[in-house]
Amino acid sequence: MVEAQVADVMAELAELEDPKVREVNSRHGDDHGVNLTKLRAVAKRLKTQHELAHGLWETGDTEARLLATLICRPKTFDRDDLDAMVRDARTPKVHDWLVNYVVKKNSHCEELRRAWLADPDPVVASAGWALTAQRVAKEPQALDLRALLDVIDAEMKGAPDRLQWTMNVCLAQIGIADPEYRGRAIEIGERLEVLKDYPTSPGCTSPFAPVWIAEMVSRQAT
């Protein structure tokens, strides 16, 4: 039954394939050609179907895995399942959706955050930093922000792209969330200059930490 469902969904995803979408995504290291709004519409129609989600994930196909993160039951995964999935999710979009839509909703999230943060695989470590940035935004008092800034100061400049990005997000979140460490967060960002020249669309906030911090703190004050 599930195999037939997987085949039907894969056929539907193939029909939604758009070469132009794939070309744009390929510039960011992703290999999917389905418009994400259309993908979400498929997920909305299917609703929650955990066994189907498992079957879609097992295909290894990027579109199928993105869909799987939307129709699974995040709380049903055990720790080892999530660890294996993060290590197997190598494209940026699958990795991001898995962390944000599945891991963050699971009871093992905090345990995995701590484990992944120190993982030697930079892609896995980036998941740990992404979860840490979220924790900083919601519960900064539960973390040693000074120690996090020490690590960011020492390692962010030379980190691989995806890991560098999530460390930078954490740096900005510390500066936004905690006035005590805001000055140091801004100083680290200005000195390391990570993402200083990142192209930013009009109306969007730059990911350069000093600019990002200043913008968000300004919004909080209004």
Side-chain angles (χ1 to χ4, degrees), residues 31-49:
D31 61 351
H32 62 94
V34 175
N35 177 282
L36 296 181
T37 299
K38 294 181 179 179
L39 188 76
R40 290 180 185 277
V42 175
K44 185 176 182 180
R45 190 191 77 244
L46 292 173
K47 299 181 181 180
T48 301
Q49 296 191 53

Side-chain angles (χ1 to χ4, degrees), residues 12-19 21-22 31-35 63:
E12 181 176 1
L13 294 175
E15 290 180 0
L16 294 174
E17 172 77 20
D18 185 333
V21 172
R22 181 173 292 277
D31 61 351
H32 62 94
V34 175
N35 177 282
E63 286 93 348

Side-chain angles (χ1 to χ4, degrees), residues 17-76:
E17 172 77 20
D18 185 333
K20 292 182 179 179
V21 172
R22 181 173 292 277
E23 181 182 356
V24 171
N25 288 329
S26 67
R27 299 172 194 163
H28 304 288
D30 282 306
D31 61 351
H32 62 94
V34 175
N35 177 282
L36 296 181
T37 299
K38 294 181 179 179
L39 188 76
R40 290 180 185 277
V42 175
K44 185 176 182 180
R45 190 191 77 244
L46 292 173
K47 299 181 181 180
T48 301
Q49 296 191 53
H50 192 73
E51 291 305 315
L52 176 58
H54 178 75
L56 290 170
W57 183 271
E58 289 301 308
T59 68
D61 178 81
T62 293
E63 286 93 348
R65 285 187 163 186
L66 290 172
L67 183 57
T69 67
L70 299 176
I71 67 171
C72 69
R73 290 190 180 89
K75 295 179 181 179
T76 66

Side-chain angles (χ1 to χ4, degrees), residues 2 6 19-20 40 67 79 81 85 93 96 129 131 140-141 149 156 160 163 166 170 176-177 179-180 209 213:
V2 173
V6 169
K20 292 182 179 179
R40 290 180 185 277
L67 183 57
R79 182 198 183 283
D81 286 335
M85 291 167 75
K93 187 62 69 176
D96 290 345
W129 281 98
L131 294 171
Q141 69 281 358
L149 288 173
M156 183 172 73
L163 176 56
T166 52
C170 192
I176 295 164
E180 179 182 355
I213 293 168

